[in-house]
Amino acid sequence: MFRQLTLSHASKLAREPIVHFLLIGAVLYLLSTWLTAGSGAPNRIEISAATVRHLEATFFEVWGRAPTGEERERLIKDYVREEIAYREALNLGLDRDDVIVRRRLRQKLEFLAEDTATVSPPSDEQLQELLSEDPSTYSSEPLVSLKQFSVSSLIQRSNTAELQALVDRLNKEGLQAKLQNITDSSTVPEHWPLAPVSEFERTFGTEFTNAVQTLEPDVWHGPIESGIGKHFVYVTDVIPSRMPDLESVRSLLEHDFLARQRAQQIERMYLELGEKYVVIKEPLSGSTR
């Protein structure tokens, strides 16, 4: 009798919606617990002493002092929020198809490869070999000193014979020659002491700079065209570029050598990692290749 009542009661309970709801909830809870345990507790955020020290050190770099207790707690709170946001963003796939995220991750991977690269200090032989590969990169700039007159308007109103007569007169007077009241008004100096050719290039342009390096010194020449007009030019000195010795450019060579080694390390990393992947390139529509 008791057994019949119990079975009857259980049968009625099994048909109740609330029982169905509780059973489903229990199953979901057990499933969630099992998944969490099996995946290494992904919802666990640990704040180690090293993490706190790092947060404090970062605060000190910005503010020049250690954080107060309240500020420390706020730093930890912000760290936890950042970690939560990071994990949830990954779960939602927000890192995918984002150019900025992809570039940042690539930079971090390459920085890591550079940091772990074992690059030995270069020997003198290696530095000399690098110097010999491209000496113009390390050689000094040519130096030029000159005097010039801007004469664009004068050339427009003078014929060839008149201009030649003027150049002849300038050559008789030499470096002390003057062209009073007949040159163009200009903010460009007439006298240029010995200076690197890059300074002339910035002011007059490449064509003028290349031309003056080939002119015979101590003679008036013209007209020489530049980016700002035409000029009579008297070159007083030209010092060609000089091939440096190893010691004078050692630090620059060492910097370039190590930079090259790091670039080669990055290249090797991509070659090794690339063996794990198969790249399939879909042909472009209309392409004949």
Side-chain angles (χ1 to χ4, degrees):
M1 178 69 176
F2 176 76
R3 185 171 180 274
Q4 290 177 346
L5 288 174
T6 302
L7 290 174
S8 175
H9 184 63
S11 178
K12 290 180 180 180
L13 285 175
R15 291 193 294 271
E16 291 293 330
I18 187 64
V19 175
H20 296 171
F21 177 79
L22 291 174
L23 287 173
I24 293 172
V27 171
L28 291 176
Y29 173 77
L30 292 173
L31 180 61
S32 174
T33 303
W34 177 74
L35 289 174
T36 301
S39 60
N43 293 330
R44 180 184 179 91
I45 299 177
E46 295 186 7
I47 310 297
S48 66
T51 300
V52 175
R53 287 195 295 270
H54 174 72
L55 295 174
E56 292 176 335
T58 303
F59 183 96
F60 185 87
E61 290 179 2
V62 175
W63 300 103
R65 62 175 177 83
T68 64
E70 181 180 349
E71 289 169 334
R72 183 184 301 106
E73 291 303 314
R74 188 158 59 247
L75 291 172
I76 295 173
K77 181 179 179 180
D78 288 342
Y79 173 83
V80 171
R81 287 189 172 185
E82 183 178 90
E83 185 66 21
I84 291 172
Y86 170 73
R87 296 186 187 186
E88 292 300 316
L90 291 182
N91 290 336
L92 293 172
L94 300 183
D95 58 314
R96 293 190 291 271
D97 300 324
D98 188 307
V99 175
I100 296 176
V101 172
R102 287 164 63 94
R103 288 177 180 171
R104 183 58 179 156
L105 291 176
R106 175 182 176 179
Q107 288 175 350
K108 294 192 72 172
L109 180 64
E110 292 181 357
F111 288 155
L112 179 62
E114 290 182 358
D115 289 341
T116 57
T118 55
V119 180
S120 302
S123 64
D124 284 2
E125 291 75 15
Q126 289 172 315
L127 294 179
Q128 186 62 54
E129 182 180 355
L130 179 59
L131 177 59
S132 300
E133 283 182 14
D134 187 9
S136 62
T137 301
Y138 305 98
S139 60
S140 61
E141 272 194 85
L143 303 176
V144 176
S145 60
L146 56 81
K147 182 178 180 179
Q148 65 83 31
F149 294 125
S150 297
V151 291
S152 297
S153 58
L154 175 64
I155 291 173
Q156 289 179 351
R157 63 176 184 263
S158 303
N159 57 41
T160 304
E162 291 172 332
L163 291 176
Q164 186 58 53
L166 182 55
V167 171
D168 292 341
R169 193 261 289 180
L170 292 174
N171 277 320
K172 289 180 181 179
E173 298 177 4
L175 184 60
Q176 305 306 318
K178 297 181 180 180
L179 291 179
Q180 295 179 339
N181 303 322
I182 60 174
T183 59
D184 301 331
S185 59
S186 174
T187 58
V188 177
E190 289 184 358
H191 292 274
W192 287 75
L194 206 60
V197 293
S198 57
E199 290 191 20
F200 292 93
E201 191 164 6
R202 283 193 293 269
T203 302
F204 298 100
T206 302
E207 185 176 350
F208 177 92
T209 303
N210 291 338
V212 296
Q213 294 179 72
T214 64
L215 297 179
E216 180 185 354
D218 303 323
V219 178
W220 281 99
H221 300 272
I224 306 297
E225 188 165 2
S226 78
I228 58 176
K230 293 180 170 56
H231 312 261
F232 286 145
V233 178
Y234 187 100
V235 176
T236 55
D237 201 1
V238 176
I239 300 178
S241 62
R242 295 185 299 274
M243 176 69 176
D245 57 54
L246 178 60
E247 288 304 318
S248 63
V249 290
R250 175 179 291 276
S251 60
L252 183 57
L253 286 168
E254 288 177 345
H255 174 274
D256 290 349
F257 179 88
L258 295 176
R260 177 182 292 188
Q261 293 295 97
R262 287 192 292 269
Q264 292 174 350
Q265 176 72 14
I266 296 295
E267 184 66 21
R268 285 194 295 268
M269 178 194 72
Y270 279 119
L271 289 175
E272 294 173 2
L273 294 178
E275 295 178 356
K276 298 165 54 178
Y277 297 87
V278 176
V279 179
I280 302 175
K281 184 177 179 181
E282 182 180 353
L284 298 175
S285 58
S287 175
T288 58
R289 296 185 178 181

